[in-house]
Amino acid sequence: MGFPIFGGSDGTSTTDAEPVHAMAISLKNREQIEQMRRSGRIVREALRRCTAACRAGATTEQVDAQAQAVLDETGAVGLFKNYPTYQPGEGFPACTCVSINEEVVHGIPGSRVIRDGDIVSIDFGCRLDGWCGDSATTVLVGDVEPAIRKLCQTTEHVLEIARQNIRPGRKWSQVARLMEGYAVKAGFGVVKDFVGHGIGRSMHEEPKVPNFVSHDLLARDIELAPGLVLAVEPMCCMGSEQVKVLEDGWTVVTTDRRPAAHYEHTIAVTDNGCEVLTDGT
Ligand code: MG
Ligand code: MG
């Protein structure tokens, strides 16, 4: 689940009024990172099964049911159901976010039928023994147009660029510049309204992790240090970067209704580089 760049996910203003250095960024020790990896393995298994269920003719709620089954089997707690209040019946109504084509993130699983040629972003997070994992992938269903296929490949590679460049001593803006530059050079836009986030005991922790460089980031840059764990989640689009939230209060779509892709991993900064915690290893 992505983080809105302005204010908290509940729509209230939070960090924008305060300098980021005043907010607590918690570093995790090796044992805590391994606990997050266990959570990450469950996330990976859920996304694997959701991906397999992502076929033409299936509904998005059938995809969602695969992740719920993994929660039931493992005893892990889903992070999305009832977010942000976690009061039953309030907040996000499903286990996963399933977002098709022009839907960028936070699509609500339901009766929408997946069709051949669709791209389907599946986003899932869970908590096990107090520690969270969060990941997303985009599934290409059947015969996807070459230009849209390139959008997905590019967005996935943007996440890979982050993995290759996260290491202690770097500033996040250095990584974000490489990510944004790759997407733009390939001819795609980077969605600016939603960003990645720190993650640990909670799904959304400080800092906010944009996939682009802004004056705001440069003014309040993030020093990458061992033990920092980030959910990095590039969202790229074919046309305009403008997005809006639909009347359901959740689904984020491109305003020009052209496709967008979304990939995410939970990544821990280590002493000499980084480790992906949601790749199933
Ligand atoms: Mg997510
Ligand atoms: Mg996330």
Side-chain angles (χ1 to χ4, degrees), residues 256-274:
D256 64 9
R257 304 290 171 141
R258 297 184 72 197
H262 176 218
Y263 292 80
E264 176 179 24
H265 271 309
T266 296
I267 302 176
V269 184
T270 61
D271 289 337
N272 45 24
C274 68

Side-chain angles (χ1 to χ4, degrees), residues 34 45 64 80 117 131 145 158 161 170 207 213 219 241 253 256:
E34 288 311 314
E45 173 61 12
D64 184 73
F80 295 6
W131 293 92
E145 277 178 39
V158 168
I161 286 170
R170 284 210 168 157
V213 177
E241 298 160 10
V253 298
D256 64 9

Side-chain angles (χ1 to χ4, degrees), residues 1-2 54 59-61 63-64 80 92 96-110 112-114 118-124 136-141 152 233 235 246 248 250-254 258-263:
M1 192 172 265
C54 236
T59 64
T60 52
E61 64 194 355
V63 174
D64 184 73
F80 295 6
F92 192 77
T96 58
C97 299
V98 182
S99 310
I100 300 179
N101 299 341
E102 77 284 356
E103 298 172 347
V104 184
V105 286
H106 306 169
I108 299 173
R112 182 167 175 176
V113 175
I114 297 166
D118 281 348
I119 59 170
V120 183
S121 160
I122 307 164
D123 192 350
F124 177 69
T137 190
T138 298
V139 183
L140 291 76
V141 180
C152 295
E233 48 182 313
M235 296 154 232
L246 295 184
D248 63 21
W250 285 103
T251 311
V252 177
V253 298
T254 55
R258 297 184 72 197
H262 176 218
Y263 292 80

Side-chain angles (χ1 to χ4, degrees), residues 38 109 142 172 197:
R38 284 194 280 279
W172 176 255
H197 48 91

